[in-house]
Amino acid sequence: EPVVETRHGKVRGQRGVAGGYKFFCVPYGASTEGAGRFMPPKPPLAWAGIREVPKQALIAPQIDPKAVPSPPGSRRAAVSGIGSEAGSLETEDCLNVTVYTPGVDNARRPVMVWLHGGGYFAGSGSNPMYEGSSLAVHGDVVVVNVNHRLNVLGYAHMPDSGEDFLSSGNVGILDIELALHWVKDNIERFGGDAKRVLVFGQSGGGGKVCTLWSMPSARGLFHRVAIQSGATRRLRSVEDGVGASERLLALLNLKPNQARDLQRLPLAQVMAANFELSKKPALPGAPNGFAPVYDNRVVTRQPFDPVANPMNADIPLIVGCTSTENTAFMMGDAEAFKLDMAGLRARMRKLIGERAGDAAVDLYFQLKPLAAPSQLYFEMLSDRTRRQSIMIAEMKAAQNDAKAWLYQLMWNTPVMDGLLRSPHSLDLPMIFDIALGERWKPYTGAVPAADRVAKAMSRAWVEFARSGDPGTSELPWPDYSLRRRDVMLFDEDSTFALDAFRETRLFWDDVANGSI
């Protein structure tokens, strides 16, 4: 059980599941309770003696005690159980990191800073689903998983309450920035190299990576980025952020300029309003949830709209997703998994219009005449959203500076008789190299093929952290250029392909541009 002295005090570690050492929930910020609520974070107060390993994770409040869980044994319960959290409404202090390292020495290993998914309302970096010791030990890197403020506590935008609250809609992202400062100041004491920091995230975590991309105050704190199933070109407007906050304040009988009063309310009361708001139907174009905002203060321009922010043109980037993202979200839609061609055509007409819907069905049936209608449906949905990843790769390549790499996870999990195919989050056990573990068995089946995919993906991410180029001697990976448009297809036998999605890429461009 090693002890490391950080700039704020000593912390005790423990053995990692796969070897090396784990330092659980190490503070990088001060308390955010009371007057710290909705305020930019501050460094932690120094402590005396050795901080022992906490008995449980300190994560952002996020569990609705009135929520009805999925029935035991259901397909939805099997999937959602992987990421179940032991949250609490008793404290909002959550500014901490969990560090995994092969050794407490002077090896100066690459650093991989993980930003968890769960939208901007749930999840934590200390969840066992992101257990980082295998990635750290097998890749000889230092992995840092970040906890930060979420939902109303991290992203309620309330500028009408005065100067102190002008950044309140982005304090959750400012937490991550402070964590990166902590990495810069402390990571060498854990065997890491502060000059080789990869920031990577999936789903909402990918959106957090994109937000950091457009924050001048975060410039220089990271040196490569990976955006996994979370390509975010535009952040929420100030108007939408203010609107959601005003609706929450109204639930508590407060006016738009009473954020100071919201600071003083008990945590349970604030979170109850947050949960109530999330259940209400949103007005057209008016979200009820909370997310980072383009405030021209913390975030000074959109990340990838109309072009890639030139501020980080010198930083290399990986972006991509899974091949059938949407199956993970449609477990309650039984009909979607047994469509006939008429049902497929009806759904696509409703989604994108009669002319475009018919064109989509005709194209995909032509490209894959033997595929079942439901398979075509899930591929259409995923290809439609994957366009954002492709556009980011195109914008990055157009800068003609640091390179971009595009990927897609093609491997289909055998669980549930193959129903899920390649769902959202299937890349997580691969990149963390834990595809055979019990935690992810309901998703991967813990079959040998899953481990082969995991080795290919985790090695690519490790090499990217190490050198800024994910290609390895075992698996070369050409960068994405506007001339070739190479895409890495991760599968049992991973390989790259020249413009692998040309027909569907051009089709969805035409749909977005109104040409179809």
Side-chain angles (χ1 to χ4, degrees):
E1 296 186 345
V3 173
V4 172
E5 185 167 6
T6 72
R7 291 202 174 187
H8 302 99
K10 296 178 180 180
V11 294
R12 191 182 304 280
Q14 57 191 145
R15 293 294 295 180
V17 172
Y21 301 102
K22 171 184 177 180
F23 294 82
F24 188 55
C25 291
V26 179
Y28 68 80
S31 172
T32 58
E33 293 185 321
R37 187 185 288 174
F38 309 124
M39 295 292 104
K42 296 179 180 179
L45 298 174
W47 61 86
I50 300 173
R51 185 179 185 274
E52 299 296 336
V53 180
K55 288 187 169 35
Q56 68 178 59
L58 298 173
I59 69 173
Q62 57 192 260
I63 301 300
D64 183 354
K66 297 180 181 179
V68 178
S70 300
S74 69
R75 285 170 169 170
R76 184 175 296 187
V79 174
S80 62
I82 296 168
S84 59
E85 291 273 12
S88 169
L89 295 181
E90 296 178 3
T91 177
E92 56 201 271
D93 286 344
C94 60
L95 304 191
N96 57 74
V97 293
T98 296
V99 182
Y100 301 89
T101 180
V104 181
D105 50 32
N106 297 316
R108 301 285 179 92
R109 300 172 180 86
V111 181
M112 301 177 69
V113 176
W114 174 247
L115 306 184
H116 67 79
Y120 298 97
F121 57 89
S124 82
S126 45
N127 192 304
M129 69 189 293
Y130 308 125
E131 214 288 334
S133 61
S134 181
L135 179 60
V137 171
H138 296 165
D140 196 30
V141 295
V142 177
V143 179
V144 181
N145 294 358
V146 182
N147 281 336
H148 57 88
R149 283 174 283 183
L150 299 169
N151 46 67
V152 59
L153 300 175
Y155 303 104
H157 195 49
M158 300 175 287
D160 290 344
S161 292
E163 181 83 18
D164 288 348
F165 295 90
L166 291 180
S167 300
S168 62
N170 285 318
V171 294
I173 292 294
L174 289 172
D175 292 345
I176 298 172
E177 181 193 318
L178 184 62
L180 290 171
H181 277 288
W182 183 92
V183 168
K184 181 179 180 181
D185 293 340
N186 293 280
I187 207 63
E188 289 182 3
R189 305 169 190 223
F190 295 87
D193 183 355
K195 296 180 179 178
R196 287 188 295 170
V197 175
L198 161 68
V199 177
F200 67 128
Q202 182 265 353
S203 193
K208 296 163 194 173
V209 172
C210 293
T211 306
L212 287 169
W213 189 265
S214 282
M215 291 171 54
S217 55
R219 173 73 182 161
L221 296 176
F222 54 91
H223 313 98
R224 317 85 161 80
V225 301
I227 305 163
Q228 305 163 210
S229 302
T232 303
R233 294 175 48 233
R234 295 180 57 83
L235 302 185
R236 183 170 295 182
S237 68
V238 164
E239 291 75 19
D240 280 348
V242 168
S245 302
E246 288 181 351
R247 288 188 284 278
L248 179 127
L249 286 162
L251 289 174
L252 294 163
N253 297 314
L254 296 174
K255 295 182 173 59
N257 64 352
Q258 289 187 278
R260 191 70 68 188
D261 295 277
L262 189 61
Q263 275 186 324
R264 300 187 184 104
L265 290 181
L267 174 62
Q269 188 176 355
V270 175
M271 292 305 299
N274 176 79
F275 299 137
E276 183 179 348
L277 182 66
S278 68
K279 297 172 187 173
K280 290 182 176 294
L283 300 172
N288 281 337
F290 298 96
V293 295
Y294 170 34
D295 61 357
N296 206 26
R297 183 181 176 91
V298 175
V299 179
T300 56
R301 62 173 292 164
Q302 295 288 8
F304 295 96
D305 185 75
V307 298
N309 189 341
M311 178 177 67
N312 286 313
D314 59 333
I315 292 182
L317 173 154
I318 288 176
V319 62
C321 56
T322 69
S323 65
T324 55
E325 294 272 345
N326 295 73
T327 54
F329 306 113
M330 303 187 74
M331 299 303 293
D333 183 0
E335 291 300 317
F337 292 87
K338 49 185 179 183
L339 293 175
D340 56 18
M341 288 300 291
L344 170 63
R345 196 172 293 274
R347 285 193 176 223
M348 292 309 297
R349 284 179 170 184
K350 183 177 180 180
L351 182 66
I352 58 176
E354 183 173 337
R355 181 165 170 256
D358 284 344
V361 173
D362 294 342
L363 172 63
Y364 278 73
F365 182 71
Q366 175 189 339
L367 293 174
K368 296 188 176 182
L370 300 180
S374 289
Q375 177 184 341
L376 297 180
Y377 178 56
F378 293 129
E379 290 191 12
M380 289 179 200
L381 295 181
S382 295
D383 288 354
R384 184 177 180 227
T385 56
R386 183 184 63 213
R387 181 172 178 268
Q388 303 303 313
S389 294
I390 296 175
M391 291 181 73
I392 286 178
E394 299 246 327
M395 291 176 182
K396 185 68 177 140
Q399 286 184 322
N400 200 30
D401 201 326
K403 296 177 180 179
W405 288 266
L406 182 66
Y407 76 92
Q408 182 160 295
L409 176 56
M410 305 295 292
W411 184 71
N412 294 327
T413 175
V415 302
M416 301 182 196
D417 298 321
L419 199 69
L420 291 173
R421 301 188 63 79
S422 185
H424 189 69
S425 299
L426 187 60
D427 57 323
L428 296 177
M430 308 307 179
I431 290 169
F432 278 89
D433 196 15
I434 50 178
L436 298 183
E438 281 299 314
R439 168 69 61 157
W440 282 102
K441 189 174 181 179
Y443 227 46
T444 68
V447 295
D451 191 51
R452 288 195 290 273
V453 179
K455 291 295 185 284
M457 293 193 79
S458 62
R459 285 170 184 167
W461 262 244
V462 163
E463 187 55 38
F464 186 54
R466 178 168 286 110
S467 68
D469 185 327
T472 65
S473 57
E474 298 88 359
L475 186 60
W477 183 353
D479 64 289
Y480 189 91
S481 70
L482 299 181
R483 181 177 61 86
R484 287 181 50 90
R485 293 185 169 87
D486 286 297
V487 184
M488 176 60 73
L489 306 175
F490 285 105
D491 209 330
E492 288 188 63
D493 297 308
S494 301
T495 186
F496 63 88
L498 176 67
D499 205 357
F501 312 117
R502 185 177 188 279
E503 293 89 349
T504 56
R505 171 175 62 82
L506 295 176
F507 172 80
W508 290 109
D509 281 349
D510 287 342
V511 171
N513 297 331
S515 302
I516 296 180

